Amino acid sequence: MAKTIRRSGSNGGITKPDPYATAAAARKGKSKTAAANNIFKMNTDIGQHILKNPGVAQAIVDKADLKQSDIVLEVGPGTGNLTTRILEKAKRVIAVEQDPRMAAELTKRFQSTPATAKRLELILGDVIKMPELPYFDVCISNTPYQISSPLTFKLLATSPSPRTCILMFQREFAMRLFAKAGDKLYSRLSVNAQMWATVTHVMKVGRNNFNPPPQVESNVVRITPKKPRPQVSYEEWDGLLRVVFVRKNRILRSGFLGTSSVMEMLEANYRTFCAQQDILLDEGPLDEVVVDGMDVDEAGAGDEEWDGIMDMEDEDDLPDFFKEEADRKAKKLQDNPNRKRKGKVAELVRAKVKKVLETDTDLGDKRARLCDEGDFLKLLYAFNQEGIHFS
């Protein structure tokens, strides 16, 4: 109850409410209400921003065009604001949640409706670390921003592919999905997404629709895998893109011939290919020390280590081979980084790579950021014809 102030004067005693006491009481009441509505503190380090706007949640589910027979994969269900609406339209929901607190809240939410709860399968764990995803028809996700890239690649690589995916992303990440050759945001993600799927924009979502509000705006996109699936090995395709997009502003000749870790990887893969095809190789060393005097672009001169690994836009997706190779090669070349004895197999692989870049495709002087899907397909085909593989 607000305090009062009694004033005396010529007109007698007058009682007025104290405005400061009233404001303090209002703040106290508001604080109690907020505490009651706050289940626990959100862990923004793992991207916990709960979608609180019911209109946006309903619009996302409506855009998925769900059927009564659909099995839906939901990544990061949180407290179940999307889950509830999905269960109204789909046969079953498989929800993958990393936070045990959120999983407990989700379970509690459906305890009073056993029939609905039976159609909800809750998996506690990290979706990225799952060896393989269970079968699903549609994926719907208010995606934790930290796993946007690995989740997208995991969904693109899923076989059989889902009918469609409705995903919430940070706005800049969403723009990368649409980017074309020459655009600032053009990346390995852009090429991969557009190779395997049709990507369309669904809606913009402001930061105030979340609790707590993130630092960035969001976009909802629809990723619809192409059917039939392009007849290209996903591992080979993605392996090529990993190499060329480590430094997308370098010319391709420099990215391949001027980066010793890449050449050693291709040599190892070529040896494996020859062993599988019963092709004999001359393993002898060259007669003299070879100093690589290849011209490269302004990024550097001569053979260099793949020090662009840490600049890679998707570090979480980096193959273990490159991580180990970077450490090993850096130590090995401390004494003499620019001179090394090359074997005949290494020179054979080098000649094949040079032939592909300069003769077969004429793409050696082109930069990855300016190459389109057709250029990369041409490169992959030419390399494979020479027995050079990326997986």
Side-chain angles (χ1 to χ4, degrees):
M1 183 174 180
K3 296 179 181 178
T4 60
I5 299 176
R6 181 173 297 277
R7 301 181 186 274
S8 59
S10 57
N11 294 329
I14 301 175
T15 302
K16 293 184 178 181
D18 182 350
Y20 299 104
T22 303
R27 286 195 300 270
K28 186 176 181 181
K30 185 177 181 180
S31 176
K32 287 182 178 179
T33 303
N37 292 335
N38 232 350
I39 301 171
F40 44 71
K41 185 177 180 180
M42 300 299 175
N43 186 353
T44 55
D45 290 339
I46 59 173
Q48 285 184 347
H49 298 279
I50 304 300
L51 180 62
K52 65 181 184 180
N53 187 326
V56 174
Q58 189 62 55
I60 290 174
V61 175
D62 290 344
K63 292 294 183 180
D65 296 325
L66 295 177
K67 302 175 182 178
Q68 291 183 345
S69 59
D70 280 340
I71 298 174
V72 178
L73 174 69
E74 185 184 5
V75 178
T79 56
N81 293 340
L82 279 171
T83 315
T84 303
R85 292 166 173 80
I86 297 172
L87 284 168
E88 292 174 355
K89 295 191 172 186
K91 177 182 179 181
R92 189 158 63 95
V93 173
I94 303 172
V96 183
E97 176 56 60
Q98 185 177 359
D99 190 339
R101 303 173 306 163
M102 289 288 190
E105 288 299 323
L106 187 64
T107 302
K108 187 189 305 182
R109 183 165 187 168
F110 294 100
Q111 278 181 343
S112 60
T113 54
T116 302
K118 287 181 180 179
R119 297 189 289 115
L120 172 62
E121 177 184 347
L122 180 58
I123 299 176
L124 183 60
D126 186 342
V127 67
I128 304 304
K129 294 180 181 178
M130 292 174 64
E132 62 180 37
L133 296 175
Y135 174 83
F136 61 98
D137 300 294
V138 177
C139 178
I140 298 177
S141 173
N142 174 18
T143 313
Y145 294 155
Q146 289 84 345
I147 66 167
S148 295
S149 182
L151 177 62
T152 302
F153 284 118
K154 195 175 186 75
L155 292 173
L156 290 173
T158 298
S159 182
S161 56
R163 187 172 74 248
T164 191
C165 302
I166 305 294
L167 309 173
M168 178 102 71
F169 290 130
Q170 176 183 343
R171 185 157 297 170
E172 181 175 320
F173 183 88
M175 292 301 101
R176 286 170 57 196
L177 290 171
F178 301 106
K180 302 296 183 183
D183 292 348
K184 182 180 179 180
L185 294 177
Y186 189 61
S187 63
R188 165 181 163 239
L189 174 70
S190 314
V191 183
N192 245 329
Q194 294 168 36
M195 172 67 176
W196 304 105
T198 301
V199 185
T200 55
H201 180 259
V202 175
M203 71 176 79
K204 295 180 180 179
V205 181
R207 67 187 73 180
N208 292 328
N209 292 289
F210 299 89
N211 177 34
Q215 296 298 313
V216 295
E217 304 293 333
S218 301
N219 283 50
V220 178
V221 302
R222 177 186 285 106
I223 298 178
T224 306
K226 293 179 180 177
K227 293 185 179 180
R229 189 177 178 85
Q231 296 301 302
V232 177
S233 165
Y234 178 86
E235 290 75 18
E236 282 288 299
W237 174 256
D238 190 49
L240 169 65
L241 297 182
R242 285 179 187 274
V243 171
V244 299
F245 276 104
V246 165
R247 284 186 174 178
K248 65 181 182 181
N249 290 319
R250 298 180 70 186
I251 60 173
L252 295 177
R253 182 188 294 105
S254 176
F256 282 93
L257 299 174
T259 310
S260 55
S261 293
V262 172
M263 294 305 299
E264 291 189 6
M265 178 199 72
L266 297 182
E267 179 187 343
N269 289 350
Y270 183 67
R271 289 178 182 276
T272 301
F273 169 77
C274 290
Q276 293 172 341
Q277 302 297 319
D278 294 326
I279 300 174
L280 295 178
L281 292 172
D282 186 348
E283 298 286 356
L286 296 181
D287 296 334
E288 58 183 16
V289 173
V290 175
V291 179
D292 194 342
M294 184 204 69
D295 293 332
V296 295
D297 64 358
E298 62 272 16
D303 270 3
E304 61 181 57
E305 284 311 295
W306 197 341
D307 54 352
I309 285 180
M310 299 315 295
D311 294 331
M312 193 171 184
E313 61 196 4
D314 300 300
E315 292 177 23
D316 291 339
D317 299 329
L318 196 65
D320 290 339
F321 174 90
F322 292 131
K323 294 177 182 176
E324 297 166 0
E325 192 72 354
D327 294 335
R328 185 181 71 81
K329 291 296 295 175
K331 183 176 180 181
K332 178 181 176 182
L333 297 177
Q334 278 179 350
D335 296 331
N336 199 356
N338 292 322
R339 297 173 62 86
K340 18 186 179 173
R341 187 175 298 277
K342 298 180 184 291
K344 292 182 179 179
V345 176
E347 287 304 299
L348 173 61
V349 171
R350 188 176 189 82
K352 287 177 174 289
V353 171
K354 195 170 183 179
K355 176 176 178 289
V356 167
L357 295 175
E358 298 180 359
T359 305
D360 297 344
T361 65
D362 196 27
L363 291 171
D365 292 323
K366 199 167 184 179
R367 302 176 192 276
R369 66 181 178 84
L370 299 176
C371 294
D372 58 20
E373 182 181 294
D375 292 328
F376 294 126
L377 283 171
K378 187 188 300 184
L379 267 178
L380 183 61
Y381 176 78
F383 275 123
N384 287 173
Q385 286 294 103
E386 293 292 333
I388 304 293
H389 295 272
F390 295 87
S391 64

